[in-house]
Structure formats: C-alpha cells, structure tokens
Amino acid sequence: MSFTLAIVGRPNVGKSTLFNRLVGRKLALVDDTPGVTRDLREGDARLFDMRFTIIDTAGLEEVTDDSLQGRMRRLTERAVDMADVCLFLLDGRVGVTPSDQVFAEILRRKGARVILGVNKAEGKAGEAGALEAYSLGLGEPLRLSAEHGEGMDDLYHVLRPIE
Ligand code: GDP
Ligand code: MG
C-alpha cells in the first residue's frame, strides 16, 4: 500500500525544492522569485526504501494579497482532499508569519493529518523558528533542509507508519 503526501504552505518556504529532492527530477519549478510554480504537481517520490505520491502546491503571490489567499486556499484544499497526509512547511529562518497561521487554520478546519516541517533549518538555522512552530498547535516540528537534504531521516520515520 502506498500513500499520497501533499506539501503545503505559503510561497517561498521551499515546497518545490523538497518536491524536486523527493521526486529526483525537476518537475516543479524552483525560483528565487516567489511564486513561480503555478499549479498542483504530482510526482512519484522516493525516500530511502519508501515510495509514495507527492503533490506540490503552487505559489501565486504575484497577485494581490486578497486573491493570493483565495487561490492558495483553494489549491491547498484541493491538495488536502487528494492527500492522505500533509507536510506543512514553514521557513525556519523567518519563523511563523500571519500567512502561516492562515494555512494552519485551513489544515485544522479540513481535519487534515499534518506533519509540521520547519525548512531552511540547515546547521543551526531554524532553531528559533522550530521553537516558534510549536505555537501552531500542530505537533512537534521536524527541522528540515530541502536544499541540503537534512532531516530526511526524521521525515522518513514519521512517514513510515503511514505507508
Ligand atoms: P516554494 O515557493 O515553497 O515552492 O519555494 P521554492 O522551493 O521555490 O524555494 C524558494 C527559495 O527558498 C529558493 O530560493 C530556494 O532555493 C530556497 N530554499 C528552499 N529550500 C531551502 C533550504 O532548505 N535552505 C535554504 N537556505 N534555502 C532553501
Ligand atoms: Mg513552488
């Protein structure tokens, strides 16, 4: 049996970078310009000996804040509906933002099964962000670095029981 993991969170936290790492192909666009990926992308992910389906949700923040919230909300809700479990990513260097709180609320209201990930936490970066992340009430955050591949063993261990 396999499962579907949706990577959700506000733009620029590193969702597509993690998607690309787990899929091993450049299916999702990554760019320094926030919001380059424009839709939901699905790929076959591999993490050590585990295989699953992964969904990347897009950023659309070139639009105004209002429509960003509406569009991101709808995309996130679609992803949550398709997924068995959501990896909710934060930027550990930034900490918890009001926008993160909006996403947390969507996930809570949908009753989604959530894994909280604090990304960009390579080395000691993201320690403060990880502490802040507890305040979301979504459980213990995993410190990850999508770019440098750190925390992938911890991610494996929380996903293993779902498989
Ligand atoms: P998305 O909008 O959530 O899909 O974010 P992207 O994957 O496009 O990444 C946004 C920016 O964050 C890019 O410049 C990435 O190179 C950078 N980034 C992603 N993951 C990491 C990480 O683990 N550490 C650091 N330092 N930067 C990262
Ligand atoms: Mg993206």
mmCIF file of all heavy atoms in Angstrom, residues 16 29 37 56-57, ligand 2:
data_model
loop_
_atom_site.group_PDB
_atom_site.id
_atom_site.type_symbol
_atom_site.label_atom_id
_atom_site.label_comp_id
_atom_site.label_asym_id
_atom_site.label_seq_id
_atom_site.Cartn_x
_atom_site.Cartn_y
_atom_site.Cartn_z
ATOM 1 N N SER A 16 8.732 23.395 -3.453
ATOM 2 C CA SER A 16 9.150 22.804 -4.731
ATOM 3 C C SER A 16 10.553 22.215 -4.632
ATOM 4 O O SER A 16 10.858 21.211 -5.287
ATOM 5 C CB SER A 16 9.097 23.856 -5.846
ATOM 6 O OG SER A 16 7.780 24.341 -5.981
ATOM 7 N N LEU A 29 8.985 23.788 -10.663
ATOM 8 C CA LEU A 29 9.877 24.918 -10.855
ATOM 9 C C LEU A 29 10.310 25.477 -9.507
ATOM 10 O O LEU A 29 9.508 25.641 -8.612
ATOM 11 C CB LEU A 29 9.162 26.028 -11.626
ATOM 12 C CG LEU A 29 8.896 25.761 -13.102
ATOM 13 C CD1 LEU A 29 7.997 26.851 -13.666
ATOM 14 C CD2 LEU A 29 10.205 25.697 -13.860
ATOM 15 N N THR A 37 5.939 28.475 -9.327
ATOM 16 C CA THR A 37 5.149 27.294 -9.657
ATOM 17 C C THR A 37 3.677 27.676 -9.600
ATOM 18 O O THR A 37 3.256 28.312 -8.665
ATOM 19 C CB THR A 37 5.433 26.165 -8.647
ATOM 20 O OG1 THR A 37 6.798 26.203 -8.297
ATOM 21 C CG2 THR A 37 5.089 24.833 -9.216
ATOM 22 N N ASP A 56 2.878 18.898 -5.031
ATOM 23 C CA ASP A 56 3.434 20.226 -4.728
ATOM 24 C C ASP A 56 2.353 21.261 -4.999
ATOM 25 O O ASP A 56 1.746 21.265 -6.060
ATOM 26 C CB ASP A 56 4.640 20.479 -5.646
ATOM 27 C CG ASP A 56 5.306 21.825 -5.399
ATOM 28 O OD1 ASP A 56 5.154 22.391 -4.299
ATOM 29 O OD2 ASP A 56 6.002 22.301 -6.325
ATOM 30 N N THR A 57 2.089 22.095 -4.020
ATOM 31 C CA THR A 57 1.129 23.179 -4.235
ATOM 32 C C THR A 57 1.876 24.435 -4.643
ATOM 33 O O THR A 57 2.992 24.679 -4.215
ATOM 34 C CB THR A 57 0.289 23.457 -2.974
ATOM 35 O OG1 THR A 57 1.159 23.637 -1.872
ATOM 36 C CG2 THR A 57 -0.652 22.326 -2.699
HETATM 37 MG MG MG B 2 6.939 26.200 -5.554
#
